[in-house]
Amino acid sequence: MYPNKIIAAFAAATGLLLPAIAITFPDLEDEPLPMVGTAGHGHTYPGATVPFGMVQLSPDTRTKGWDACSGYHYSDSVILGFSHTHLSGTGAPCLGDVLLMPTVGDLQLDAGTPGDGYASKFSHAQEDATPGYYRVFLQTPKVTAELTATTRCGFHKYTFPKSDQSHFILDLAHGIGNDPVEGAVHIENDHTVSGYRISNGWGGRRVIYFVMQFSKPFDSFGVERNGKRLDGLGDATGRDVKAFFNYTTSSNEKILVKVGISCTSVDGARNNLAAEIPDWDFNDVREAAAAQWKKIFDAVEIKTFDSAIQKTFYANLYMTAVAPVMYSDVDGTYRGYDQQSHSNPGFQNYTTFSIWDIYRTEWPLLTLLQPGRVNDMLRSMLVEYNQLGQHTTPIWPLWGNETWCMIGYHSVDMIAEAYLEGFRGFDAETAYQQMRDTAMQDRNGLDSYKTIGYVPSTPGGCATSKTLEYTVDDWSLARMAEALGHQDDAKLFYQRSANYCNLFDRTSQFFRGRKASGIWRIPFTPTGLVNDEYTEADAWPYAFAVQHDVPGMINLYGGDQGFIDKLNTLFTTNSDIQTPLPDQTGRIGQYVGGNEQSCHIAFLYNYAGAPYKTQYWVRQAMTQLYGDTPASEPGNVDCGEMAAWYVFSALGFYPVNPSSGIYIIGSPVVSKAVIHLDDDNYHGHTFTIIADNNGPNNVYIQSVTLNGKPLTRSWITRDEITAGGNLHFVMGYQPNPQWGSAPADRPPATMPADFQYPPLPDPAPVSPSVHFSLPIRIVCGSDDPVAGFLPDPDVVNSAENSADATVDTSAPNSAPAAVYKTERYGSDFSYTIPVPKDGNYLVRLHFAEVFDNAAGDRVENIFINGQPALTNFDIFAAAGGMNKAVVKDFSNIAPDKYGNITIHITATPDSPDQNAKISAIEILK
């Protein structure tokens, strides 16, 4: 144990007030910060980029599967090549454009495997990644690759062995989770190549243009189109286009390659390259990239009692500055949502807005630390309304497309927050009218939400999540309407923001689904219905989703103690969920620290007068779920959102409701932090946080002063931070339940003083069991009867989904097609169906694959009365494709001694998707 840690441990054990130990650290731009999050499900990439740069020049180790979202996973040992665009921490794969790979030996134009393709083995022991720089030794060709970047350009440096068979492979068919549509390559001369790549993937069709220059003229070249070599030609256009460039190299010879990219044209890429890398000094470009990152890190200087915390903090601060990304050329031209180039727009265009994620924490952090970019980002979002023509502000924009990913219309939260914080670089009234129109559309359940006050529950519709998240958006919209003088609109949207009341069930004490008729959806279980009633969650995280009106939410749980008890149960109950998803990671009880719905939850104790509990659980989450290793992110980083959670939490406060301007105090993990605020927007003020006696066990606040005066409230304002000042904590080993507990010291109410809440619905009745009579026909994926098949409300340990698919029912004994459009899914669930004991029965099981598009993705076992019926059953393989009915009959099935036939459906241990599924069950005499 290091001496510093011994002293800190002694202080924690004895409760003595010792001064915080200042630790000296190396330059952050020399630290391996980009490796954090590359293992597990962090989905980050280790390659070279600059803050918010269009280029992310990084190695690709895989291109398919959920853990290929960034193109790189730390568990891999083979590199496919180096492509120029990547996503950071998303839950969907895309990009991976313009792949370049050096090889030595026989020419191979397919990635293949090392020795039988251009792919190469590598080792992490021979790999380095620092902000703006990446280096790896490619073991197969024995080539050292070094990468750096500018905003719109990638710079490669390769050190070759002696060989007369050295090559570069340019693969325009390569992509991450997308399919090539068309690629083009043009060999301009013996050192310059240009072209484009069009792909179809997440969000739709996308185009990228490039110009590539080599420091050494190539000896010869070749082009391949759709697998056929085009001898003597230097131009090719086709779906699958590749090119190669041949060299004779001496030992340790270095060849540099610089690549400009653009979303508008080859000329745009050429201009970007000329402007940003005019010469061949690799080290100059690397140093300039490091200088940009140093500016990011210098915005927040911290001291800690543990070097691992220091590295964790800056690794997460790094991740907050890799997205959104620049999406315009050096002259400002960008490709709009109308797929047209827009020149001289008067702002720098950005893309890759993971809005459902970043409105919570990443965006508030950017408005605080990167205010000079905010107006451009706002204008980048606002152009979507007119260019796309869908009466919407952005949902999840990516490279000129709207992906429509996730729920809500949270861009209104981001726009409203920025306006309320004083950003004025956009037309606020025009923006407000666009925001209002977005909220008044009929898509995604808004038609019902506007009329009956909630989105009606349907299998797979995530209706409860949609309702709750719409209320958050409506509150922000009300605040902006109020600020602009639209009082009638403000009243309307405040009223809509209370629609969460319409889904609160006093029987179960959860927000849960209701049908359009008003009845509660059954069956219900708080640990199920993932991606069915709730988006990427079960009922527990959404039980605390009212981040805009926490006092109103507290009242639903019977007041302070009831709310505290509910929070306590969340953190201490069993972590199991019935329908697992791979991004339900970082669980502490039913708190899911690896996904966004839980981001604000630990801070809610402050609203009920128990800040010491916030302090405990926030520190637990930081300590258990974050660190400075590749596997030290709790889940998908989501374009910086989960990283921003750590940055704010480490500093000691968090924006539970960003548009309110209120930051909730938690438990700082820093001993000292100085936030250097922007000169132009915040007059160069500094805000200093000091945490005396801080340590791994001293998580509890003993007292606080703000600018030298005692602070008893458990919150501060954003204005107090941007005005500059000093926030001084004294930390201790024992909780101080009195601090921040008085009603006057709690975060203020956010609804109008005279606000009238809607009446709560009648409590849900206890669900009665259903008794079936022969012939028994059960639809598994619906709460309502479908074509003569009835639902079974007793099955709760799974979830339902549906697809608007045309299903082939030509298989013998198929059910009506509507039955196969639904499915029940879960890792392990059963149907127990009573039948008369005196007889044997035909059990007929119905399946159809209406979601997965490949064999092997989902494999399951079926048991009937404990006996294997289907083993390693793959619906897609059995049907021979998607949207085809599969019917399996099992005759002479006798009931068990209790008179039941039990059908047990479970995923096989090695199934990539751990959710088995079934469409319908028949039991016939």
Side-chain angles (χ1 to χ4, degrees):
M1 181 179 287
Y2 295 110
N4 288 344
K5 292 187 177 180
I6 295 174
I7 298 171
F10 174 78
T14 61
L16 294 176
L17 291 175
L18 297 179
I21 300 166
I23 301 174
T24 302
F25 300 94
D27 291 338
L28 292 162
E29 54 271 26
D30 295 328
E31 290 293 307
L33 306 180
M35 296 305 301
V36 176
T38 58
H41 299 310
H43 293 181
T44 63
Y45 59 84
T49 190
V50 296
F52 311 100
M54 180 189 288
V55 164
Q56 306 88 32
L57 180 53
S58 191
D60 293 342
T61 63
R62 59 175 74 177
T63 61
K64 296 185 182 300
W66 194 62
D67 281 331
C69 290
S70 74
Y72 178 98
H73 198 270
Y74 194 80
S75 63
D76 295 332
S77 58
V78 172
I79 285 176
L80 306 175
F82 305 98
S83 62
H84 290 75
T85 57
H86 294 84
L87 295 170
S88 177
T90 59
C94 201
L95 307 185
D97 299 299
V98 191
L99 179 135
L100 190 68
M101 183 63 169
T103 67
V104 173
D106 292 341
L107 184 66
Q108 303 278 356
L109 294 185
D110 292 323
T113 58
D116 190 28
Y118 63 68
S120 173
K121 292 181 180 180
F122 79 106
S123 167
H124 296 305
Q126 296 171 304
E127 180 185 38
D128 297 299
T130 58
Y133 175 73
Y134 177 84
R135 179 186 180 278
V136 67
F137 180 70
L138 299 173
Q139 296 174 347
T140 305
K142 296 180 173 53
V143 171
T144 297
E146 297 177 77
L147 312 174
T148 189
T150 64
T151 299
R152 301 167 182 86
C153 303
F155 206 172
H156 310 238
K157 180 181 179 181
Y158 297 100
T159 303
F160 282 87
K162 182 178 181 179
S163 174
D164 58 2
Q165 288 187 302
S166 295
H167 320 279
F168 284 103
I169 310 301
L170 172 61
D171 190 341
L172 298 181
H174 171 93
I176 300 168
N178 57 66
D179 298 318
V181 174
E182 183 176 283
V185 63
H186 172 52
I187 313 299
E188 298 185 5
N189 52 45
D190 62 3
H191 62 278
T192 304
V193 182
S194 60
Y196 61 83
R197 178 177 188 263
I198 301 174
S199 61
N200 194 31
W202 185 30
R205 185 169 292 202
R206 188 176 51 82
V207 62
I208 180 172
Y209 300 90
F210 69 92
V211 170
M212 181 179 295
Q213 297 178 348
F214 296 82
S215 62
K216 177 182 178 180
F218 34 83
D219 299 336
S220 59
F221 65 87
V223 175
E224 181 181 278
R225 178 176 60 205
N226 301 332
K228 183 177 181 180
R229 195 76 55 85
L230 304 180
D231 293 333
L233 296 181
D235 294 272
T237 301
R239 182 180 182 275
D240 186 341
V241 172
K242 301 175 184 179
F244 58 92
F245 312 98
N246 302 321
Y247 287 91
T248 298
T249 55
S250 58
S251 179
N252 293 321
E253 182 174 357
K254 295 172 175 55
I255 300 178
L256 284 71
V257 186
K258 51 187 182 180
V259 182
I261 68 169
S262 170
C263 60
T264 65
S265 65
V266 167
D267 285 342
R270 196 184 312 277
N271 293 336
N272 293 340
L273 185 57
E276 294 188 353
I277 312 182
D279 52 35
W280 292 97
D281 195 324
F282 183 90
N283 287 336
D284 270 1
V285 174
R286 176 186 173 184
E287 290 170 5
Q292 290 189 56
W293 283 111
K294 185 177 188 302
K295 187 175 181 181
I296 294 291
F297 302 140
D298 285 350
V300 187
E301 295 182 276
I302 70 168
K303 294 181 180 179
T304 67
F305 50 83
D306 187 335
S307 62
I309 293 174
Q310 179 100 0
K311 294 174 185 176
T312 301
F313 181 90
Y314 284 108
N316 281 279
L317 186 59
Y318 170 88
M319 284 181 265
T320 69
V322 297
V325 304
M326 184 67 66
Y327 192 58
S328 59
D329 293 337
V330 289
D331 64 1
T333 305
Y334 70 94
R335 179 177 292 271
Y337 297 90
D338 54 6
Q339 303 308 308
Q340 302 298 311
S341 291
H342 296 262
S343 58
N344 302 313
F347 66 97
Q348 293 289 338
N349 192 274
Y350 287 81
T351 189
T352 314
F353 287 94
S354 185
I355 288 172
W356 183 81
D357 307 289
I358 69 171
Y359 89 90
R360 308 162 195 266
T361 321
E362 163 85 350
W363 183 247
L365 189 69
L366 292 180
T367 67
L368 191 66
L369 299 183
Q370 297 293 322
R373 300 180 188 269
V374 168
N375 283 315
D376 283 352
M377 289 181 177
L378 289 166
R379 294 183 66 179
S380 300
M381 289 191 288
L382 289 168
V383 297
E384 178 174 329
Y385 183 89
N386 289 322
Q387 291 176 3
L388 191 64
Q390 294 293 318
H391 297 274
T392 185
T393 55
I395 305 298
W396 211 120
L398 176 65
W399 273 71
N401 291 320
E402 177 53 77
T403 69
W404 301 105
C405 185
M406 304 307 292
I407 61 175
Y409 37 91
H410 297 305
S411 54
V412 306
D413 302 282
M414 296 169 65
I415 299 164
E417 179 198 342
Y419 180 78
L420 295 167
E421 290 171 353
F423 290 93
R424 294 294 186 268
F426 62 102
D427 187 324
E429 182 59 33
T430 298
Y432 171 74
Q433 294 302 330
Q434 294 177 5
M435 296 156 65
R436 187 187 190 282
D437 192 31
T438 300
M440 298 304 291
Q441 293 302 304
D442 291 338
R443 62 171 67 94
N444 296 325
L446 278 170
D447 49 351
S448 299
Y449 176 85
K450 291 183 296 184
T451 55
I452 63 175
Y454 60 92
V455 178
S457 179
T458 57
C462 296
T464 296
S465 294
K466 288 177 181 175
T467 299
L468 294 172
E469 296 197 24
Y470 288 153
T471 65
V472 175
D473 301 335
D474 286 342
W475 187 87
S476 292
L477 196 48
R479 286 271 287 147
M480 189 157 178
E482 200 170 47
L484 292 172
H486 298 292
Q487 298 304 325
D488 290 343
D489 279 359
K491 183 177 180 180
L492 167 68
F493 289 112
Y494 274 129
Q495 198 63 53
R496 281 178 34 163
S497 77
N499 280 346
Y500 66 84
C501 297
N502 297 326
L503 294 185
F504 187 76
D505 171 32
R506 286 171 282 176
T507 299
S508 63
Q509 293 283 289
F510 282 98
F511 296 104
R512 51 180 287 197
R514 292 172 68 194
K515 301 285 190 177
S517 64
I519 65 171
W520 295 98
R521 179 186 179 187
I522 55 173
F524 169 77
T525 175
T527 58
L529 302 172
V530 178
N531 268 0
D532 179 351
E533 192 64 48
Y534 306 97
T535 298
E536 293 186 0
D538 60 18
W540 273 105
Y542 276 101
F544 305 97
V546 190
Q547 63 191 93
H548 61 289
D549 182 20
V550 181
M553 178 170 57
I554 289 174
N555 290 335
L556 296 180
Y557 291 104
D560 294 342
Q561 193 56 53
F563 187 67
I564 291 170
D565 291 344
K566 188 75 171 183
L567 282 168
N568 290 345
T569 304
L570 168 88
F571 283 105
T572 58
T573 195
N574 190 290
S575 291
D576 292 343
I577 58 176
Q578 303 294 339
T579 44
L581 290 176
D583 55 359
Q584 297 298 292
T585 52
R587 293 205 288 270
I588 302 175
Q590 284 289 327
Y591 171 88
V592 184
N595 215 359
E596 278 70 20
Q597 303 94 326
S598 292
C599 279
H600 64 285
I601 292 178
F603 295 88
L604 297 180
Y605 284 106
N606 288 32
Y607 292 82
Y612 69 97
K613 288 181 174 287
T614 281
Q615 295 152 29
Y616 176 82
W617 287 115
V618 168
R619 190 68 77 92
Q620 288 296 306
M622 281 191 282
T623 301
Q624 291 185 33
L625 305 181
Y626 289 83
D628 62 348
T629 70
S632 293
E633 287 295 309
N636 297 168
V637 174
D638 286 320
C639 295
E641 166 59 25
M642 303 311 298
W645 184 92
Y646 185 88
V647 171
F648 266 125
S649 299
L651 294 174
F653 42 80
Y654 182 82
V656 166
N657 178 15
S659 295
S660 71
I662 300 296
Y663 286 8
I664 307 306
I665 291 175
S667 176
V669 77
V670 299
S671 299
K672 181 179 181 180
V674 180
I675 302 173
H676 297 277
L677 296 160
D678 180 74
D679 288 339
D680 294 333
N681 291 271
Y682 304 128
H683 310 291
H685 293 153
T686 60
F687 189 77
T688 301
I689 300 116
I690 296 173
D692 285 341
N693 197 37
N694 210 354
N697 297 314
N698 290 3
V699 306
Y700 296 108
I701 293 172
Q702 306 301 299
S703 63
V704 187
T705 61
L706 178 63
N707 299 327
K709 298 180 180 179
L711 182 73
T712 58
R713 51 181 161 91
S714 62
W715 53 278
I716 58 175
T717 68
R718 185 181 186 279
D719 288 343
E720 287 171 331
I721 296 172
T722 58
N726 294 275
L727 184 65
H728 194 153
F729 298 91
V730 176
M731 308 300 292
Y733 182 71
Q734 296 291 337
N736 176 4
Q738 285 72 44
W739 182 84
S741 63
D745 291 330
R746 301 176 190 180
T750 51
M751 299 296 272
D754 58 348
F755 186 76
Q756 296 295 312
Y757 287 90
L760 296 178
D762 292 336
V766 176
S767 301
S769 295
V770 171
H771 299 283
F772 295 98
S773 58
L774 292 168
I776 296 171
R777 293 184 170 91
I778 299 173
V779 59
C780 299
S782 175
D783 303 329
D784 299 311
V786 176
F789 284 65
L790 302 177
D792 185 351
D794 290 336
V795 180
V796 298
N797 56 345
S798 47
E800 298 171 350
N801 208 348
S802 61
D804 187 16
T806 300
V807 179
D808 178 351
T809 56
S810 60
N813 300 313
S814 289
V819 169
Y820 298 101
K821 295 182 180 183
T822 71
E823 65 181 33
R824 180 168 291 277
Y825 66 94
S827 60
D828 191 304
F829 61 99
S830 298
Y831 282 83
T832 300
I833 304 163
V835 296
K837 291 183 179 180
D838 55 343
N840 291 345
Y841 299 88
L842 172 69
V843 174
R844 178 171 292 157
L845 306 181
H846 298 267
F847 309 87
E849 185 51 80
V850 293
F851 289 103
D852 293 339
N853 59 8
D857 287 346
R858 193 189 309 255
V859 185
E860 57 194 78
N861 293 326
I862 310 287
F863 301 86
I864 300 178
N865 285 348
Q867 299 300 310
L870 295 170
T871 302
N872 293 323
F873 179 55
D874 184 326
I875 300 171
F876 185 97
M882 289 183 67
N883 303 329
K884 295 181 179 181
V886 177
V887 183
K888 296 292 183 179
D889 283 356
F890 305 90
S891 58
N892 297 317
I893 302 297
D896 63 19
K897 63 181 180 179
Y898 303 106
N900 296 323
I901 293 177
T902 299
I903 299 159
H904 180 198
I905 303 101
T906 181
T908 63
D910 57 351
S911 175
D913 190 323
Q914 281 293 296
N915 286 304
K917 60 184 179 180
I918 189 170
S919 298
I921 298 169
E922 291 185 89
I923 299 179
L924 309 172
K925 185 67 176 173

